[in-house]
Amino acid sequence: MNTLELSPDEKISRIFRAISSPARVQILAAIGKGEACVCHLEALLDMRQAYISQQLMELRDAGLLDTRRDGRYIFYQLTEPRLIDMLIDIGILFGISAADLEALLNTEPLPQCCCPDCLAQLNPMLIDIEEITS
Ligand SMILES: [Zn+2]
């Protein structure tokens, strides 16, 4: 779809349509203001990789996500990180508790994840050794 042909109301609807699924809200929240690879989202959200990839594609098609390749990993990041603030504002506005919103935005490293960010945070020594030997 060519976004240039869309009117402002259509553009805004398109953004909300892209967000309009719990899985995609979870994915956006998981990426947050940083970046995440598919293996991280898979470990965090307990969803199948094919399903996550499909959701990522929809978010990307709507212009909400960018990608960055680093070796064998593809990292996803929000094109506009402030979108996270807006999602939080919507949550607060409609009575979702701060604790619940905080849980949604969990950024703890995952022991069962193989992405470079989690490995580096959980075991800095391991990354040093890998970098030296590779
Ligand atoms: Zn990870």
Side-chain angles (χ1 to χ4, degrees):
M1 199 188 335
N2 188 345
T3 50
L4 294 174
E5 292 165 11
L6 297 176
S7 58
D9 54 314
E10 287 170 331
K11 285 179 183 169
I12 291 171
S13 296
R14 188 163 170 261
I15 292 162
F16 277 101
R17 200 158 50 237
I19 301 170
S20 73
S21 112
R24 293 197 288 273
V25 171
Q26 284 182 54
I27 288 169
L28 289 172
I31 297 170
K33 294 187 176 182
E35 50 182 20
C37 53
V38 175
C39 66
H40 186 88
L41 297 171
E42 205 180 347
L44 179 67
L45 305 174
D46 195 25
M47 298 171 189
R48 289 179 48 215
Q49 188 177 332
Y51 181 74
I52 292 171
S53 295
Q54 189 189 335
Q55 308 310 313
L56 287 169
M57 205 159 60
E58 291 201 33
L59 289 166
R60 198 179 161 182
D61 286 349
L64 302 185
L65 290 183
D66 265 342
T67 56
R68 178 177 73 83
R69 180 178 273 281
D70 185 355
R72 66 195 180 95
Y73 293 96
I74 294 174
F75 291 96
Y76 292 83
Q77 52 198 274
L78 272 64
T79 52
E80 292 295 343
R82 280 190 305 155
L83 181 61
I84 291 298
D85 300 328
M86 296 177 72
L87 291 178
I88 293 168
D89 281 348
I90 290 171
I92 292 168
L93 195 60
F94 289 92
I96 299 171
S97 75
D100 283 350
L101 289 169
E102 212 166 284
L104 183 66
L105 297 167
N106 165 43
T107 54
E108 293 292 305
L110 308 167
Q112 71 273 38
C113 182
C114 64
C115 84
D117 288 348
C118 287
L119 287 177
Q121 286 186 69
L122 290 166
N123 196 347
M125 286 299 290
L126 185 69
I127 284 291
D128 286 346
I129 291 164
E130 273 188 357
E131 279 172 359
I132 291 163
T133 55
S134 65

